[in-house]
Amino acid sequence: MTAPDDSLPTTYDAAATEAAWYPRWTEHGVFTASPEEAATHEPFVIVIPPPNVTAVLHMGHGLNNTVQDVLIRWRRMAGDAALWVPGTDHAGIATQNVVEKQLAAEGQSRFDLGREAFVERVASFVDRTGGEILNQLKSIGSSADWSRTAYTFSPELSRAVRETFVRLYEDGLVYKGHRVIHWCPRCGTSLSDEEAEFTETAGKLYHLRYPLASDPTQGITVATTRPETMLGDVAVAVNPDDERYQALIGQEVVLPLNGVRIPIIGDSYTDPAFGSGAVKITPAHDANDFEVGKRHQLPMPVVIDAEGIVREVDGAAGRVPEALRGLDRADARKAILPLLEAAGALVKVEPHHHSVRHCYRCDTVVEPRLSDQWFVRMQPLADKALTALRSGELRILPERWEAVYVNWLEGIRDWNISRQIWWGHRVPVWYCTTSCGHAPIVSRTDVTACPGCGGSVRQDEDVLDTWFSSWLWPFSTLGWPDETPDLKAFYPGDVLVTAPEILFCWVARMVMSGCWFMGKAPFHTVYLHGTVRDMQHRKMSKSLGNGIDPLDVVHLYGADALRWTMVAGLGLGVDVMLDPTDLEKSFAPGRNFCTKLWNIGRFLLSRVGTDPVTPVSALPSASLTAADHWILERLDAAIADCDAALGPARPSNGATWTEAERSRGLRLSEYAEAARRFVWNELADWYLESVKPRLNAEGADREVARAVLAHAFDGALRLLHPVVPFITEALWQQLPQTADGAMLARAAWPVARGGSRDEAKAFEIVRDAVAAIRQVRAEYNVQPGVWVDALLVTPDGSQSMVISQVDTVGALARARVQAAAANPGGAAAQVLLTGGVEVVVPLAGMIDLAKERQRLDGELAQLEKQLTALEGRLANEGFVAKAPPQVVEAERAKAAEWRGRAQQLRTKREALGNG
Ligand SMILES: [Zn+2]
Ligand SMILES: [Zn+2]
């Protein structure tokens, strides 16, 4: 197939190439994979971390999807049935927040609309604007199978969610619990542990004194970071073994401000060494206190409501003083301090750094709240996910994350999966509205009447955590719970590529659900790439205004420049640093790479021409020159380097990683560098240069040179294609051997052909000899146009090989080269190459010997004089004793350096002889 525009423009036109090739790839089904294909080819599957349906492409997506695309294109070329499943996440809280903001701008809330109308409004907003991010992913070249685009809230995936809830309920793993959970007063919903993120905060520790009821002159001091919660205290706990307090257990203290009498209890949860050894117990507003409260059957008065307002909510009559009622919790904290002080209850206030949980969606401080929620019992699921890692079925790269994963799973807590929002999968539980006493009905299908009394039912108001749908993603997208051909062909998948932030929220849970429902982990490798940061190491974010729009980069420099910059700078698990204020600087590596590749390609293709070429495999070995053998051998080496950096693609035994394999592969920057090095340093710098005279001549050797050059470039483009797909496709189409209709995106990954190392070795001598002569030329400032004389003095046995290469060396080094059996002596620069060949460049005729001798003598005399002075100083004991040690050290280093330089000058001077 020819490019849309049949000629190659002088500069690479990224926009035109991208616009021409992306649609061709999709029209020809390049990105699709079918179960039929998977029957005869190894499947290789990646599921996309589904971006939020309302998301706008940012650099994190750019990095994440470039990595996935490199892997999927590599495996597609390597002959796998490569499937990349794309899609979006309905993102419950996030999407609801977006629409609630729109409503607020119209002066409304979701409650004004009512549940049904609100959900309709969100759905139509998603229909209208959602999924735009998938189109943006196309513009960076992502080769996902778009015919399979999935959505966590589609009817199919919603069915999978319900099936999961019901099965886990039937297995006894889903239950409703009454306890203190994380609550976001702004979002108005509960959050899981993972969604309530810790932030280091400079807070204060308030020491409060509660007087004894029996003797107000005596008291007990407790410390808290949240003094406003003292209104809900129901006890003071001390350790029963703590001798200071043993006598007080069973007595009462009086709460300042409201006069409520509360008991002093003994509970071994209390650490005698922490603070005063006595702690206040507020069961409705602290998860640990809740447990203490349950153990001691204490009341649980609620003094802060769902919106974070301090008031007497539940069982709290008479507890909140008038002055504090109706205040927001933050204002209440400020207002309560003078009241406590006036009551003589505020002992002291200390600065206190501690971790405070914040809502991962809106950053509001999370409030612990007592409520009824649905939970998943995680221990049995976590056990399977641990086994998957320990057995080697699963690995995580970089490996240091494996310990983090294990720690989290070993300390797993039950997962709160109910959310008090409206946008999401509604909990599939129905309650009878009469008093017939029927148990809640948990059902795969909608329930309309009570099976007990036939009366009406109401569905649970809550929706399920967004992650409760995305944790099914690797199999729900393939048709589960039905046993579809897709599910059989493509589960389990292979690699999961994501950022470490969602290791717990998503990755570990996918492993759990996969092991639980499918009996196998959903992938064998988790690849955690770094984060994109600005030059101050800050994560790019909308609120900081330090983001880079990948589409701007594509527009300015092209998709390939973006991809190259990402991949080349991507050490395993290392953050990518970009400067949002200087796109030019940030993306210059990618832009320069494309420019240079284009220039090499244009020059090379113009020399190769369009006439058919002989396949390299059909060339008689004897017709190849040393240079031909060498470049073919270097291509083999580049293929091996790329394979070693990327692979293995899967465990070699098909099931579990061996210890040796476990940490290997997915080193994308090393792969890219190996491919680049081949094109730049070997193909362009050496082979292309050496082959020019042959291409200018006529006859059989010209055809050999064309064939090898075309073959080597073909191999290079195949190696580079996964990282820079557009420019390589455009160049590859111009190769004379490319068949009509063929596409690089579906071409085979190169395989080493194996050649003669010995034949290639002769060209290594050429390279080394040329480099040596060039070095001499530079040292003596020989003008580029001037030809010099050179001798290749060979050790016994290798003379014929060297003789065959003198012309090539001469052409590349601009030298009249001869082979010689011995060094004739005389003024000459000499370089001994590895392998024993000596390069001798006679200086007579090349430079003015007398003048050079004089110059060197002068330079040497000057240096020796300075060195003598310096050595004298260092021999002076007074100097060495008095001067600071680092000064003495620096002077010694200087002396050593000067001695080395003097020796070099002497050698050079000796080579000139005494004419
Ligand atoms: Zn929130
Ligand atoms: Zn009933």
Side-chain angles (χ1 to χ4, degrees):
M1 182 176 285
T2 48
D5 174 0
D6 218 0
S7 63
L8 286 180
T10 2
T11 52
Y12 174 55
D13 186 346
T17 309
E18 290 159 20
W21 279 103
Y22 198 87
R24 285 190 178 204
W25 288 331
T26 50
E27 278 158 27
H28 287 82
V30 166
F31 305 159
T32 59
S34 65
E36 294 74 38
E37 190 190 350
T40 49
H41 297 73
E42 281 272 13
F44 184 85
V45 183
I46 297 178
V47 292
I48 199 172
N52 289 356
V53 70
T54 57
V56 177
L57 191 71
H58 58 60
M59 230 43 219
H61 299 121
L63 171 63
N64 178 248
N65 287 282
T66 298
V67 171
Q68 294 177 75
D69 198 45
V70 169
L71 298 180
I72 209 81
R73 284 181 183 269
W74 163 51
R75 293 321 301 167
R76 189 179 291 128
M77 292 177 79
D80 289 350
L83 171 61
W84 183 10
V85 179
T88 50
D89 193 307
H90 70 286
I93 302 176
T95 307
Q96 170 152 335
N97 280 352
V98 171
V99 177
E100 285 196 293
K101 256 184 213 155
Q102 294 176 351
L103 283 177
E106 298 162 21
Q108 283 191 300
S109 79
R110 62 170 150 137
F111 300 100
D112 296 327
L113 259 69
R115 183 165 193 148
E116 209 172 312
F118 178 78
V119 169
E120 255 171 45
R121 169 137 181 177
V122 181
S124 81
F125 171 73
V126 165
D127 275 350
R128 232 175 29 253
T129 62
E132 179 54 27
I133 187 161
L134 298 182
N135 287 324
Q136 297 174 322
L137 289 178
K138 292 175 189 171
S139 66
I140 63 167
S142 302
S143 67
D145 184 350
W146 302 109
S147 68
R148 294 168 178 275
T149 301
Y151 177 45
T152 53
F153 208 10
S154 70
E156 297 80 14
L157 272 68
S158 300
R159 193 175 139 235
V161 166
R162 237 187 218 195
E163 178 68 27
T164 304
F165 185 96
V166 176
R167 266 200 218 179
L168 290 176
Y169 181 83
E170 289 167 352
D171 292 343
L173 296 182
V174 155
Y175 66 94
K176 195 169 203 174
H178 180 72
R179 66 181 64 159
V180 170
I181 44 79
H182 311 297
W183 180 266
C184 175
R186 205 218 60 83
C187 294
T189 182
S190 66
L191 300 169
S192 67
D193 292 344
E194 292 68 39
E195 292 170 323
E197 294 175 340
F198 282 114
T199 315
E200 276 302 311
T201 308
K204 290 196 172 79
L205 193 61
Y206 304 88
H207 297 259
L208 309 180
R209 183 179 174 278
Y210 297 169
L212 287 184
S214 58
D215 176 5
T217 63
Q218 305 278 314
I220 208 162
T221 299
V222 294
T224 178
T225 56
R226 301 189 300 148
E228 68 282 7
T229 61
M230 59 80 61
L231 302 171
D233 284 359
V234 297
V236 167
V238 297
N239 193 295
D241 297 332
D242 190 339
E243 284 171 12
R244 291 173 295 176
Y245 296 114
Q246 267 167 353
L248 294 179
I249 294 176
Q251 292 206 41
E252 287 184 328
V253 292
V254 179
L255 278 183
L257 306 189
N258 60 20
V260 172
R261 291 166 73 127
I262 60 174
I264 297 167
I265 58 170
D267 192 290
S268 47
Y269 146 79
T270 311
D271 178 3
F274 183 76
S276 66
V279 293
K280 64 197 269 307
I281 300 297
T282 326
H285 298 286
D286 181 282
N288 291 321
D289 292 3
F290 172 78
E291 297 301 327
V292 178
K294 267 207 314 196
R295 278 200 290 279
H296 296 269
Q297 281 128 32
L298 298 168
M300 303 198 176
V302 178
V303 294
I304 300 172
D305 72 8
E307 275 143 45
I309 306 297
V310 172
R311 59 188 189 87
E312 293 169 356
V313 183
D314 223 2
R319 280 182 166 265
V320 180
E322 190 67 44
L324 299 174
R325 268 181 227 168
L327 292 183
D328 178 78
R329 56 197 170 137
D331 298 332
R333 182 169 307 171
K334 284 184 204 128
I336 200 171
L337 294 175
L339 301 182
L340 288 167
E341 193 157 26
L346 189 59
V347 180
K348 65 174 168 173
V349 183
E350 293 172 317
H352 183 63
H353 276 268
H354 61 139
S355 291
V356 175
R357 287 187 187 264
H358 288 68
C359 171
Y360 84 132
R361 277 297 160 212
C362 73
D363 209 36
T364 300
V365 173
V366 163
E367 189 65 34
R369 181 169 182 234
L370 184 61
S371 67
D372 288 325
Q373 304 287 344
W374 288 95
F375 292 88
V376 178
R377 212 180 297 285
M378 296 300 270
Q379 190 64 57
L381 293 149
D383 287 346
K384 286 186 189 286
L386 276 168
T387 304
L389 186 87
R390 286 176 176 149
S391 68
E393 184 188 351
L394 173 75
R395 64 171 182 167
I396 303 176
L397 296 176
E399 273 178 303
R400 65 172 187 272
W401 286 101
E402 292 190 346
V404 180
Y405 170 94
V406 167
N407 267 344
W408 183 73
L409 286 171
E410 284 180 341
I412 194 93
R413 293 166 22 119
D414 287 356
W415 176 15
N416 170 7
I417 52 169
S418 43
R419 297 290 173 273
Q420 289 65 49
I421 57 171
W422 290 346
W423 179 243
H425 304 95
R426 202 151 162 188
V427 172
V429 177
W430 286 261
Y431 309 94
C432 176
T433 55
T434 76
S435 50
C436 87
H438 196 283
I441 307 131
V442 179
S443 172
R444 289 174 174 81
T445 52
D446 284 359
V447 175
T448 50
C450 172
C453 67
S456 64
V457 290
R458 60 172 181 83
Q459 187 172 1
D460 197 295
E461 294 290 323
D462 290 352
V463 302
L464 292 163
D465 183 357
T466 281
W467 303 101
F468 193 81
S469 52
S470 39
W471 78 322
L472 311 174
W473 191 244
F475 47 91
S476 63
T477 53
L478 296 173
W480 188 88
D482 295 332
E483 285 235 0
T484 61
D486 276 346
L487 190 65
K488 279 186 206 146
F490 296 118
Y491 191 94
D494 295 84
V495 182
L496 192 275
V497 181
T498 192
E501 288 96 288
I502 49 177
L503 179 59
F504 305 139
C505 270
W506 191 49
V507 180
R509 288 190 186 136
M510 279 192 290
V511 178
M512 294 188 222
S513 69
C515 291
W516 190 261
F517 293 107
M518 299 294 297
K520 271 181 191 154
F523 25 75
H524 53 64
T525 300
V526 173
Y527 175 95
L528 299 175
H529 52 66
T531 305
V532 183
R533 295 181 187 276
D534 69 10
M535 302 315 276
Q536 286 101 58
H537 290 249
R538 296 178 307 178
K539 196 176 164 180
M540 291 191 171
S541 80
K542 217 191 237 175
S543 54
L544 285 175
N546 64 345
I548 294 176
D549 183 346
L551 299 182
D552 287 347
V553 179
V554 169
H555 178 69
L556 287 169
Y557 309 110
D560 286 341
L562 170 82
R563 296 166 62 108
W564 180 266
T565 303
M566 300 261 104
V567 170
L570 186 70
L572 187 56
V574 174
D575 289 337
V576 175
M577 310 274 288
L578 296 169
D579 187 349
T581 64
D582 193 346
L583 291 188
E584 174 66 25
K585 194 179 84 193
S586 295
F587 294 95
R591 197 261 325 270
N592 296 345
F593 174 84
C594 291
T595 303
K596 183 155 180 185
L597 181 63
W598 191 255
N599 290 340
I600 292 170
R602 276 185 66 242
F603 179 76
L604 183 150
L605 289 164
S606 73
R607 294 304 163 108
V608 169
T610 52
D611 293 340
V613 288
T614 315
V616 161
S617 58
L619 295 172
S621 181
S623 70
L624 302 184
T625 66
D628 298 337
H629 284 292
W630 177 79
I631 196 64
L632 294 172
E633 190 267 327
R634 292 324 299 158
L635 176 59
D636 279 2
I639 295 167
D641 289 348
C642 290
D643 284 342
L646 287 171
R650 47 180 69 82
S652 58
N653 66 18
T656 51
W657 293 104
T658 64
E659 225 23 68
E661 286 172 343
R662 198 166 180 129
S663 59
R664 282 180 47 207
L666 304 194
R667 298 190 307 273
L668 268 64
S669 57
E670 278 179 39
Y671 139 70
E673 172 55 19
R676 188 204 64 82
R677 202 166 48 222
F678 172 69
V679 188
W680 270 216
N681 303 0
E682 289 162 353
L683 183 58
D685 281 359
W686 289 101
Y687 186 69
L688 193 51
E689 286 300 306
S690 81
V691 89
K692 274 181 194 167
R694 296 165 66 198
L695 292 169
N696 290 336
E698 290 291 327
D701 186 51
R702 174 171 186 268
E703 292 314 307
V704 172
R706 283 183 65 234
V708 174
L709 190 54
H711 176 86
F713 195 50
D714 170 280
L717 293 174
R718 286 171 200 251
L719 290 177
L720 286 169
H721 179 74
V723 56
V724 281
F726 293 106
I727 191 171
T728 49
E729 182 77 78
L731 290 168
W732 193 75
Q733 293 296 329
Q734 301 295 323
L735 282 168
Q737 71 268 41
T738 297
D740 276 353
M743 291 192 195
L744 180 55
R746 271 281 182 177
W749 184 250
V751 177
R753 57 190 284 286
S756 163
R757 281 264 340 140
D758 286 347
E759 301 276 6
K761 246 185 211 154
F763 194 75
E764 297 283 354
I765 294 174
V766 171
R767 243 170 49 126
D768 292 351
V770 170
I773 297 170
R774 283 180 181 166
Q775 187 197 325
V776 172
R777 294 179 61 113
E779 217 169 291
Y780 290 95
N781 273 322
V782 178
Q783 293 305 303
V786 176
W787 284 63
V788 301
D789 291 308
L791 292 173
L792 300 183
V793 183
T794 57
D796 295 341
S798 61
Q799 205 155 15
S800 64
M801 193 216 269
V802 170
I803 289 170
S804 70
Q805 301 304 322
V806 292
D807 289 347
T808 316
V809 174
L812 290 170
R814 291 180 176 266
R816 292 172 291 268
V817 182
Q818 285 180 307
N823 188 340
Q830 297 163 31
V831 184
L832 187 64
L833 307 182
T834 46
V837 175
E838 193 177 17
V839 177
V840 178
V841 181
L843 298 176
M846 188 175 89
I847 53 170
D848 184 333
L849 284 178
K851 218 165 142 191
E852 184 67 10
R853 283 187 199 111
Q854 204 182 354
R855 189 182 70 78
L856 284 176
D857 284 341
E859 200 178 322
L860 192 54
Q862 176 70 18
L863 182 61
E864 278 170 342
K865 198 172 131 195
Q866 287 173 325
L867 187 57
T868 309
L870 179 57
E871 282 173 334
R873 203 153 59 243
L874 284 168
N876 178 342
E877 277 170 28
F879 167 76
V880 176
K882 274 184 220 147
Q886 66 269 31
V887 170
V888 177
E889 211 35 61
E891 294 288 88
R892 282 197 178 122
K894 203 198 279 177
E897 192 202 321
W898 285 359
R899 276 191 287 269
R901 233 168 76 200
Q903 190 50 45
Q904 279 174 355
L905 286 174
R906 270 181 228 114
T907 309
K908 215 166 155 186
R909 175 64 188 81
E910 275 162 27
L912 296 182
N914 294 307

